[in-house]
Amino acid sequence: MAPPLSVSGGWFLGLKQRHILFMALGGSVGAGLFLGSGGAIQQAGTSVLLAYVLCGIVVFLIGRAAAELALSDPGGRTLNAFVGRYMGARMEFLVGWSYWLIWTLVCISEITAAGIFVRHWMPEVPQWAVAAVLGGVLLAVGSRAVATFGEMEFWLAIIKIWAILALIGCGLVTILGHVGPAGPHASFGHLWQAGVLLPHGMTGFAAILPMALFAFGGTEIIALTAAETDDAVRVLPRVINGIVGRIIVFYVGSLAVIMAIVPWGEADATHSPFVLAFQHMGLPMAGEAINAVMALAALSSCNAGLYATSRTLASLAESGMASARLRERSASGVPAMAFAASFATVLAGVVLNYFLPDQLFGYAIQGVAFLLIFVWASIMVAHLAYRQSADGARGQVAALPGAPASNWLAIAFLLAIGLDIVWVGRLYVPFLLDAAWLAALVLLHGRLSARRAGASVV
C-alpha cells in the first residue's frame, strides 16, 4: 500500500512554485489561443475580450475553491477525493472518472493538434506518425520523477509565453510607432469601430462564451499538485491568485493587439490569428515560428493532461474505485501503473489519428464541454458543503473570496453556459453522450457498492 501523502510534506515531493504556475499555464494556454481564437474573433468581434475577462473571473473562483479544498484535506490528493469527502462516494466516483475522461480527450485532441501543426512543414508525413513520435517523448518524461515532468512543463510553457509576449511587443511597436507594412493602418481604435464590437449581435457573443470558458480549463490542476509540492500551504494560494490574471493578460492582450492590426473580416477558424498578425507586420518568418510554438503548446497541454489522468486514476484505485494495481508507485513516487494506463489513451489517439485525421480534434473537444461543467460545478458544491462542515468552521486556508455568494454565482454561470452550448451551439449529441456516460457511472457505482456490501456480509 502506498505511503500516505501530505500537503505539508511527503515522500516524493519535488514540484516548486514555478513548476505549478507554468503547469497551469501549460494546461490553459494551448491550441485554443493560438488557433481557436480566430473563430472566436470571427463570431464575436472585439466583444471576445469581454468574454475572456468574464470567464476568467469565474474560473478564478473555481480555482480558489479547489485550492481551499486541497489545503483543508491533508489526506486528499485529487479533485475527486476532495469532492468525495463532502459529497459522498458516488460523487467521488463520478467526478474522478469524468475528470479522467476529460483529460484523456484533451490529450487526444492536443496530440492531434500537434500532428496537424508539424505537418505544416512535413505534409508527406502521416499525422498518426507525428502523434506517435510526440507520444514517445511524453512517455519518456512522464514516467520519470515528478520534478522532471515539472521541468519539461516549465520550459514548454516558457516558449509559449515568449511567443505571446513577442506578438504583444512587436504589435505595440507597429501600432504605436506606425512601423512596418501594417503600421499606417494599425490602431486600437479598430476595437470599437462600428460593426466590430458585436458583428453578429448577442447571439455571436453567446456562441463564443463556452470557447472562452474552456480556454481556462486546466487551472484547477493546481489542486492536484498539493501532495507533490514543497510548502503547498504557501505556494498554492500564490499560484492561484496569479495564474488567472496572467492568463487573462495573455489572452486579452494578444487578441487586442491582433485585432488592432488584422482587419476583423480576415479572422476565421481555419487560420491562426497569430500567424496573420505577424504576416501583416511584415514578419512572415515569425509567423512560421508560431506553427512550431503551436506544436509545442499542444505537447505541453498533453503533458499536463497525462499528469492529471495518472494522479486521478491512482486516487480512484486508492479509494477502491479502480483496480488496486493502479495505485502502485515507482521508487521516484510516480504512479507508474496509472500513468501507463493513462498513456494507453494517448496511443488510442494515435490509432484514431490513422482512421479520423480530419475529424478527431473536433470530436474530442466537443466531448469535454459538459463533463468539465459537471466537474467544476461539483467543486463549487463540495466547497459549499465544506464551509458548512466542522472542518470549515475551524477556519480556512486560502479562503474563497465572497463565499457562499461566489459559489452560487459560479454555479449559475456554469449552468448558463451548459444551456448556451445546447440551445445556441446545438451540440445535442455531445450532451447526450456525456449524460449517458454519467448515467453509466451511476449504475456501475451502484453495482460495485452492492458487490462490496455482499462481500462484507459473507
Side-chain angles (χ1 to χ4, degrees), residues 37-94:
S37 56
I41 294 172
Q42 181 187 43
Q43 190 80 354
T46 55
S47 67
V48 69
L49 304 179
L50 175 60
Y52 281 116
V53 171
L54 287 175
C55 293
I57 292 171
V58 172
V59 174
F60 166 75
L61 297 176
I62 296 168
R64 278 293 296 262
E68 185 178 342
L69 286 171
L71 296 174
S72 72
D73 184 4
R77 290 162 294 282
T78 52
L79 293 174
N80 53 293
F82 311 142
V83 170
R85 179 167 182 175
Y86 299 104
M87 297 182 67
R90 177 183 295 173
M91 282 301 296
E92 178 178 357
F93 189 80
L94 265 64

Side-chain angles (χ1 to χ4, degrees), residues 50-349:
L50 175 60
Y52 281 116
V53 171
L54 287 175
C55 293
I57 292 171
V58 172
V59 174
F60 166 75
L61 297 176
I62 296 168
R64 278 293 296 262
E68 185 178 342
L69 286 171
L71 296 174
S72 72
D73 184 4
R77 290 162 294 282
T78 52
L79 293 174
N80 53 293
F82 311 142
V83 170
R85 179 167 182 175
Y86 299 104
M87 297 182 67
R90 177 183 295 173
M91 282 301 296
E92 178 178 357
F93 189 80
L94 265 64
V95 169
W97 279 107
S98 295
Y99 196 63
W100 175 84
L101 180 60
I102 287 169
W103 277 107
T104 294
L105 294 173
V106 167
C107 285
I108 292 174
S109 67
E110 293 293 349
I111 206 167
T112 301
I116 293 172
F117 297 142
V118 171
R119 288 189 66 201
H120 175 76
W121 300 288
M122 298 180 292
E124 71 283 355
V125 178
Q127 190 169 302
W128 66 267
V130 176
V133 171
L134 296 178
V137 173
L138 294 173
L139 176 63
V141 173
S143 58
R144 298 177 65 84
V146 69
T148 304
F149 160 83
E151 281 297 318
M152 178 179 176
E153 193 61 28
F154 172 78
W155 289 108
L156 287 174
I158 279 285
I159 293 171
K160 291 189 284 189
I161 292 167
W162 283 344
I164 295 170
L165 294 178
L167 174 90
I168 294 174
C170 293
L172 289 176
V173 171
T174 299
I175 298 164
L176 302 179
H178 305 292
V179 176
H185 311 289
S187 171
F188 284 116
H190 298 328
L191 300 181
W192 50 81
Q193 70 184 32
V196 175
L197 180 60
L198 287 167
H200 298 292
M202 290 305 297
T203 301
F205 181 75
I208 61 95
L209 275 175
M211 187 186 305
L213 180 68
F214 300 140
F216 292 92
T219 53
E220 78 292 326
I221 202 174
I222 293 171
L224 274 70
T225 66
E228 296 179 274
T229 302
D230 296 323
D231 196 7
V233 173
R234 179 185 64 86
V235 169
L236 260 63
R238 290 186 179 183
V239 173
I240 195 63
N241 285 344
I243 185 64
V244 175
R246 287 180 173 88
I247 294 173
I248 291 176
V249 169
F250 293 149
Y251 272 84
V252 173
S254 60
L255 294 184
V257 166
I258 288 169
M259 288 185 285
I261 295 173
V262 180
W264 167 73
E266 291 188 23
D268 60 44
T270 62
H271 297 89
S272 167
F274 279 69
V275 174
L276 290 175
F278 278 121
Q279 289 174 346
H280 276 265
M281 287 187 280
L283 300 169
M285 292 306 296
E288 284 293 310
I290 288 297
N291 281 290
V293 172
M294 289 192 291
L296 292 174
L299 190 65
S300 170
S301 296
C302 192
N303 192 39
L306 283 171
Y307 179 92
T309 53
S310 59
R311 271 60 181 180
T312 299
L313 203 54
S315 174
L316 288 166
E318 289 163 4
S319 299
M321 298 179 181
S323 170
R325 291 196 63 192
L326 295 175
R327 67 187 182 190
E328 296 176 8
R329 297 182 183 270
S330 67
S332 59
V334 175
M337 294 301 296
F339 181 86
S342 297
F343 182 76
T345 63
V346 178
L347 294 181

Side-chain angles (χ1 to χ4, degrees), residues 112-113 115-116 119 126-128 349-363:
T112 301
I116 293 172
R119 288 189 66 201
Q127 190 169 302
W128 66 267
V350 172
V351 174
L352 289 173
N353 264 284
Y354 179 79
F355 293 102
L356 300 168
D358 299 322
Q359 299 89 1
L360 183 60
F361 182 81
Y363 288 164

Side-chain angles (χ1 to χ4, degrees), residues 203 206-207 419-427:
T203 301
L419 291 173
D420 182 13
I421 296 172
V422 174
W423 299 114
V424 178
R426 302 182 183 277
L427 296 182

